[in-house]
Amino acid sequence: MATFLRPELSNLRAYSTLTSDSLPPEVDSLDTNEFPWDLPIALKERLAQQYISTLASHRYPDSHHWPLRQAIARYVSEHSPTAISPHQIAVGNGSDELIRSILLATAIGGYGSILVAEPTFSIYGILAQTLGIPVQRSPRDPDTFAVQIAEADALIAQGDPPVRALFMLQPNSPTGNPLTTAEVDWLRQLPEDILVVIDEAYFEFSGKTLVGELAAHPNWLILRTFSKAFRLAAHRVGYAIAHPEVIAVLEKVRLPYNLPTFSQVAAQVALEHRQELLAEVPTVLAERQRLYERLQACPQLRLWPSVANFLFFRLQEPQHTQPLCDALRREGTLVRAIAGGIRVTIGTPAENDRFWQRLEQALLTIL
């Protein structure tokens, strides 16, 4: 590498997706956990009209996101025993930007390390490494994917450098399991000098949230996104819910004008129409159960239950995992090879049927 580049980045593996030049002309994208249906045409037309009539393209976006933060606070309060204030909300260009801001606010410059329990969302570790922040990696139980708490506690106790932030998905990705009672109890008793980040990206599918406990834990922060159930993956809108003091620091370290005006407007419109948009979530859950039952009956696979909008399974002969993914891709179905297995997003009924048919054929060919 050029001598002005940090040498530790030379072997860093970036987060990646399939490139368009490697894909067949028509694909079922069941690899990125997006919602299977686009925004309704009526909402798209409303957004288009707002772009034409009210959006000033020559002006910078609202740098404080105040109307959107107010709308998010109202939505979050619907699932909390205590009202959430807009001062408890930070908005980012996707959750990824918020994760990076958390790292900047807690551990950069040798101040500390972060803890993740693997397998989990790889971006936590990737972003930390890009900032030169050490990553403590605790294992999960190989059968249940629950956190092995004793091992995690041992990493925290070592404290070299001290753990400043801990990232926990609820439910976990790629495995789909929710936090157990033991895991939540463990999070409650962690030292207050550790920021506990609970990523609820799949909240609208799982129905599970710890937002009601934020008032009792000022060192907790909850992440959510508009990229999944709200169908705004193209707009890159994520948000954090935390104590106002934590939010104020996140506001200091983020880039100015970080969220385009059109994305802010799209998120507000989605929240205004949340009942309509979220009404299709039960259809996704029913499709998840239908596909789960099919996969569960397949002897070549080991399948885990999920409360998210995806399923995770492993082959009994793991050396065939990547060849199976490649065979599915050639037929037009994209899935994610990860954590020694395969994660498949729940798509439309037709996409799920095609996935199942292609999977059956590929298993006959490969195994």
Side-chain angles (χ1 to χ4, degrees):
M1 292 184 73
T3 55
F4 52 78
L5 298 176
R6 288 163 46 204
E8 65 268 25
L9 297 180
S10 62
N11 295 321
L12 176 64
R13 185 175 181 181
Y15 187 87
S16 63
T17 57
L18 293 170
T19 59
S20 58
D21 59 0
S22 67
L23 302 178
E26 295 184 10
V27 297
D28 295 335
S29 298
L30 305 185
D31 59 331
T32 49
N33 296 347
E34 299 150 332
F35 203 77
W37 291 283
D38 200 348
L39 287 178
I41 291 296
L43 288 191
K44 283 194 165 188
E45 290 175 343
R46 178 178 171 183
L47 285 173
Q49 186 57 43
Q50 286 194 253
Y51 191 93
I52 294 168
S53 61
T54 64
L55 192 149
S57 294
H58 65 303
R59 302 297 184 192
Y60 285 111
D62 174 5
S63 63
H64 300 290
H65 322 116
W66 192 247
L68 177 55
R69 289 166 70 183
Q70 290 177 305
I72 291 171
R74 289 191 294 270
Y75 170 61
V76 175
S77 295
E78 294 174 358
H79 310 101
S80 172
T82 57
I84 299 297
S85 162
H87 295 284
Q88 292 178 262
I89 304 294
V91 182
N93 195 295
S95 296
D96 297 344
E97 186 196 14
L98 289 162
I99 294 165
R100 193 171 188 273
S101 292
I102 290 165
L103 296 170
L104 291 172
T106 59
I108 199 170
Y111 188 66
S113 62
I114 69 164
L115 178 72
V116 296
E118 294 185 327
T120 195
F121 187 29
S122 62
I123 203 68
Y124 309 131
I126 291 171
L127 290 178
Q129 289 178 273
T130 66
L131 297 171
I133 296 171
V135 181
Q136 312 291 345
R137 304 178 189 274
S138 180
R140 290 178 178 267
D141 184 282
D143 293 318
T144 66
F145 298 117
V147 177
Q148 296 191 18
I149 293 173
E151 287 81 351
D153 279 338
L155 289 172
I156 293 172
Q158 288 174 10
D160 185 24
V163 172
R164 297 297 185 190
L166 178 151
F167 290 86
M168 193 65 53
L169 261 167
Q170 158 78 323
N172 190 45
S173 178
T175 53
N177 54 301
L179 289 170
T180 65
T181 300
E183 288 170 327
V184 175
D185 288 342
W186 172 62
L187 296 178
R188 291 185 181 119
Q189 57 81 47
L190 285 171
E192 290 193 359
D193 59 359
I194 296 176
L195 179 65
V196 177
V197 180
I198 302 162
D199 191 337
E200 294 184 350
Y202 303 97
F203 159 68
E204 284 80 13
F205 301 103
S206 73
K208 299 179 182 297
T209 180
L210 291 173
V211 72
E213 298 202 27
L214 285 177
H217 301 283
N219 64 318
W220 282 19
L221 179 150
I222 289 176
L223 285 174
R224 289 193 187 163
T225 181
F226 283 85
S227 295
K228 309 301 181 184
F230 279 105
R231 318 183 197 185
L232 295 183
H235 293 270
R236 307 299 298 129
V237 185
Y239 60 98
I241 318 158
H243 190 280
E245 182 179 344
V246 176
I247 295 299
V249 174
L250 295 184
E251 287 292 283
K252 292 179 181 180
V253 300
R254 70 168 171 82
L255 294 174
Y257 308 118
N258 61 323
L259 194 62
T261 300
F262 195 55
S263 292
Q264 295 186 46
V265 171
Q268 288 175 248
V269 169
L271 285 171
E272 291 170 12
H273 293 266
R274 58 186 174 277
Q275 291 185 341
E276 175 187 354
L277 295 178
L278 299 181
E280 298 222 48
V281 167
T283 303
V284 175
L285 302 184
E287 281 296 298
R288 183 187 69 197
Q289 181 61 29
R290 186 170 75 97
L291 189 56
Y292 180 86
E293 291 171 359
R294 284 180 165 181
L295 293 171
Q296 192 177 38
C298 190
Q300 301 99 320
L301 310 179
R302 183 181 182 186
L303 176 69
W304 279 266
S306 169
V307 297
N309 67 327
F310 55 83
L311 292 168
F312 179 76
F313 62 90
R314 286 176 174 158
L315 298 181
Q316 300 291 0
E317 300 180 37
Q319 71 272 21
H320 297 301
T321 300
Q322 190 58 55
L324 178 59
C325 292
D326 293 341
L328 290 171
R329 176 177 55 80
R330 288 191 295 270
E331 293 300 315
T333 292
L334 306 184
V335 295
R336 181 85 168 175
I338 189 169
I342 294 173
R343 188 193 67 198
V344 55
T345 307
I346 305 304
T348 66
E351 289 173 334
N352 298 330
D353 286 341
R354 285 193 292 269
F355 162 71
W356 173 247
Q357 293 162 6
R358 292 164 180 172
L359 177 68
E360 281 190 307
Q361 185 59 45
L363 288 174
L364 289 173
T365 304
I366 293 171
L367 300 185

